[in-house]
Amino acid sequence: MKRRNFLQKTALTGGALSMGGALTYAAIPNTSAEPHKFNLNYAPHLGMFEELAGKDPIDQINFMADQGFTAFEDNGMMKRDTALQTKMGETLAKRGMTMGVFVVDKGGNMANTLAAGKQEYIDIFLDGCNRAVETAKRCNAKWMTVVPGGYERNLPIGVQDAHVIEALRRGAEIFEPHGLVMVLEPLSDSPDLYLQNSDQTYMICKAVNSPSCKILYDIYHLQKTEGHIIRNMDLTWDEIAYIQIGDNPGRKEPTTGELNYKNIFKWISEKGYDGVLGMEHGNSKEGKAGEQAVIDAYKQVDDFL
């Protein structure tokens, strides 16, 4: 081969390799930057960063870790393929992330109300608890959300309380040997829901009297139903095992509503809380810019030291 032809061929090949390398790198998220160091363990969920990370659940978890998030939650984990549950758990372990809550499958928030005391409803709940144990093993989870259902309005409230407490005691018996914790979530979605306030949930946890039955304090829901967030968290603190986040109105990221999350997070940190804070809210803006706005909002409100 003549030197001139050799040099031309080398230049073309080198250019192609260079271009190919650039294209390949551009398709891979940049992980060279150091992840942000958050003070608390905020947990995003699937779909929150789908535009930036892609649709694959594992890619999304890795993206969260690359941004500095140290936890993850997935309400629908029980309905996912068992192989994906395992893979998600393995990815979380590899990235040093804590698995947050998933929802115990008992048929929906309003369905199969434990307040009714009906055996068929209790059986559905206990079956969900048993299946939740297996799911938790696959994805390295510790906490599972439980919503007792709606009111049984033809019964006195004290009788409803007793029915709920008895059912939850039986659920706790399933979780205790495995070191798992069901967290009861008071909700603001409907006046027909049995569990709505923090003091009511506190009373139930005290009555169940198990390390496997605690409070999930969802700040968004409880701002709507009772307010006085810091005061009421303080009153019920010894039974709170998990916290969720959402600003009000709108249920979007912190800084978009009326709650002073920087003060709330500062207070939570000063209480010594080292658990998970689930980001159970939507994004206030669409697209990649909206997803970046969520990340930026958490950096802002987490800067409380």
Side-chain angles (χ1 to χ4, degrees):
M1 182 182 292
K2 294 183 179 179
R3 177 176 173 81
R4 182 179 178 182
N5 291 340
F6 174 79
L7 290 174
Q8 287 177 337
K9 185 174 182 180
T10 302
L12 288 170
T13 305
L17 286 171
S18 177
M19 182 177 290
L23 290 173
T24 302
Y25 181 78
I28 300 173
N30 181 13
T31 58
S32 60
E34 281 292 316
H36 181 79
K37 179 66 174 176
F38 288 103
N39 294 302
L40 296 172
N41 297 314
Y42 307 111
H45 54 79
L46 294 182
M48 181 166 273
F49 303 123
E50 189 173 285
E51 293 291 327
L52 289 170
K55 295 185 180 297
D56 182 77
I58 304 304
D59 289 345
Q60 292 184 47
I61 291 172
N62 280 318
F63 176 85
M64 295 168 192
D66 291 341
Q67 304 310 305
F69 293 107
T70 53
F72 166 79
E73 67 176 23
D74 183 24
N75 284 343
M77 181 66 83
M78 283 192 72
K79 297 184 181 297
R80 301 194 187 281
D81 180 83
T82 56
L84 179 57
Q85 292 173 0
T86 301
K87 190 172 183 181
M88 290 168 74
E90 290 171 349
T91 304
L92 292 169
K94 182 179 179 181
R95 298 307 304 266
M97 298 175 73
T98 300
M99 177 64 202
V101 292
F102 63 82
V103 175
V104 172
D105 182 13
K106 58 171 277 296
N109 287 348
M110 289 295 298
N112 304 313
T113 175
L114 302 182
K118 294 182 179 179
Q119 189 61 48
E120 61 187 288
Y121 296 166
I122 296 171
D123 290 343
I124 290 170
F125 167 61
L126 297 179
D127 174 68
C129 292
N130 280 307
R131 289 185 290 113
V133 170
E134 298 308 311
T135 299
K137 290 177 182 178
R138 287 189 285 268
C139 64
N140 299 319
K142 179 178 180 178
W143 305 277
M144 286 74 63
T145 305
V146 169
V147 177
Y151 281 112
E152 187 70 15
R153 295 192 180 276
N154 64 332
L155 295 176
I157 189 63
V159 173
Q160 294 184 64
D161 291 342
H163 286 163
V164 170
I165 291 164
E166 179 59 28
L168 293 175
R169 283 177 176 168
R170 295 183 63 184
E173 289 173 356
I174 293 171
F175 291 128
E176 278 184 20
H178 305 280
L180 303 178
V181 183
M182 60 179 169
V183 284
L184 310 182
E185 183 177 15
L187 298 173
S188 63
D189 295 328
S190 168
D192 292 322
L193 282 160
Y194 166 82
L195 198 61
Q196 298 190 35
N197 297 299
S198 61
D199 63 326
Q200 174 197 17
T201 315
Y202 185 77
M203 177 274 292
I204 291 169
C205 288
K206 290 297 185 186
V208 175
N209 192 28
S210 167
S212 289
C213 183
K214 297 295 179 182
I215 297 172
L216 190 171
Y217 197 103
D218 188 310
I219 295 173
Y220 163 76
H221 282 296
L222 290 168
Q223 171 69 2
K224 290 176 65 181
T225 58
E226 62 188 29
H228 300 289
I229 295 299
I230 290 176
R231 177 181 182 272
N232 287 333
M233 289 187 81
D234 196 40
L235 289 172
T236 59
W237 186 254
D238 61 306
E239 294 292 340
I240 294 174
Y242 199 94
I243 298 168
Q244 285 182 327
I245 304 158
D247 217 334
N248 182 61
R251 201 174 188 179
K252 307 300 183 185
E253 70 268 17
T255 74
T256 58
E258 65 191 357
L259 285 156
N260 188 336
Y261 265 107
K262 182 176 283 191
N263 276 0
I264 294 171
F265 290 157
K266 182 176 185 292
W267 182 85
I268 289 171
S269 177
E270 289 173 348
K271 293 291 285 187
Y273 183 76
D274 60 359
V276 174
L277 295 98
M279 297 159 60
E280 198 187 34
H281 57 73
N283 300 355
S284 64
K285 300 174 185 176
E286 296 181 355
K288 293 181 179 179
E291 294 178 359
Q292 186 61 50
V294 172
I295 297 169
D296 293 341
Y298 275 89
K299 290 179 180 178
Q300 178 182 333
V301 295
D302 185 71
D303 185 20
F304 51 74
L305 294 179

